[in-house]
Amino acid sequence: MVRDDGQPDAFVHISAVERSGLHGLSEGDQLEFEIEIDRRGKASAVNLVQR
Protein backbone atom coordinates (compact mmCIF):
# COMPACT_ATOMS: atom_id res chain seq x y z
CA MET A 1 0.00 0.00 0.00
CA VAL A 2 1.45 3.38 -0.97
CA ARG A 3 1.12 5.95 1.80
CA ASP A 4 0.15 9.61 1.30
CA ASP A 5 2.42 10.75 4.15
CA GLY A 6 5.64 9.81 2.34
CA GLN A 7 6.47 6.98 4.74
CA PRO A 8 7.49 3.58 3.37
CA ASP A 9 4.78 1.43 1.79
CA ALA A 10 2.65 -0.51 4.27
CA PHE A 11 2.02 -4.24 4.13
CA VAL A 12 -1.66 -5.26 4.30
CA HIS A 13 -2.50 -8.85 5.18
CA ILE A 14 -5.74 -10.29 3.78
CA SER A 15 -6.90 -11.04 7.34
CA ALA A 16 -6.78 -7.29 8.14
CA VAL A 17 -8.95 -6.63 5.08
CA GLU A 18 -11.46 -9.29 6.15
CA ARG A 19 -11.54 -8.10 9.80
CA SER A 20 -12.37 -4.61 8.53
CA GLY A 21 -15.43 -5.95 6.71
CA LEU A 22 -14.01 -5.24 3.27
CA HIS A 23 -14.38 -7.80 0.49
CA GLY A 24 -11.04 -7.02 -1.10
CA LEU A 25 -8.87 -4.18 -2.30
CA SER A 26 -8.40 -2.82 -5.78
CA GLU A 27 -5.62 -0.68 -7.16
CA GLY A 28 -6.37 2.96 -6.43
CA ASP A 29 -8.57 2.31 -3.36
CA GLN A 30 -8.00 4.91 -0.66
CA LEU A 31 -7.99 3.74 2.95
CA GLU A 32 -7.41 5.10 6.41
CA PHE A 33 -5.49 2.72 8.68
CA GLU A 34 -3.26 2.34 11.70
CA ILE A 35 0.22 0.84 11.67
CA GLU A 36 0.88 -2.11 13.96
CA ILE A 37 4.34 -3.50 14.70
CA ASP A 38 4.41 -7.28 15.19
CA ARG A 39 6.72 -9.17 17.53
CA ARG A 40 9.30 -9.50 14.75
CA GLY A 41 9.38 -5.73 14.26
CA LYS A 42 7.49 -5.74 10.95
CA ALA A 43 4.93 -3.03 10.31
CA SER A 44 1.54 -3.72 8.78
CA ALA A 45 -1.70 -1.81 8.22
CA VAL A 46 -4.64 -2.67 10.51
CA ASN A 47 -8.09 -1.22 11.26
CA LEU A 48 -8.73 -0.38 7.62
CA VAL A 49 -11.49 2.06 6.70
CA GLN A 50 -12.29 2.75 3.04
CA ARG A 51 -12.57 6.46 2.20
Side-chain angles (χ1 to χ4, degrees), residues 21-38:
L22 302 172
H23 298 287
L25 298 177
S26 297
E27 188 171 339
D29 285 351
Q30 293 189 353
L31 304 169
E32 292 181 20
F33 57 91
E34 297 174 7
I35 295 293
E36 183 176 86
I37 308 297
D38 69 15

Side-chain angles (χ1 to χ4, degrees), residues 19-20 22:
R19 278 193 301 271
S20 297
L22 302 172

Side-chain angles (χ1 to χ4, degrees), residues 1 4-5 9 11 13-15 19 22 27-31 34-36 38-46 51:
M1 172 183 312
D4 289 341
D5 62 4
D9 294 353
F11 173 77
H13 194 276
I14 188 63
S15 64
R19 278 193 301 271
L22 302 172
E27 188 171 339
D29 285 351
Q30 293 189 353
L31 304 169
E34 297 174 7
I35 295 293
E36 183 176 86
D38 69 15
R39 63 182 178 270
R40 297 171 298 179
K42 292 193 171 201
S44 60
V46 296
R51 289 198 247 172

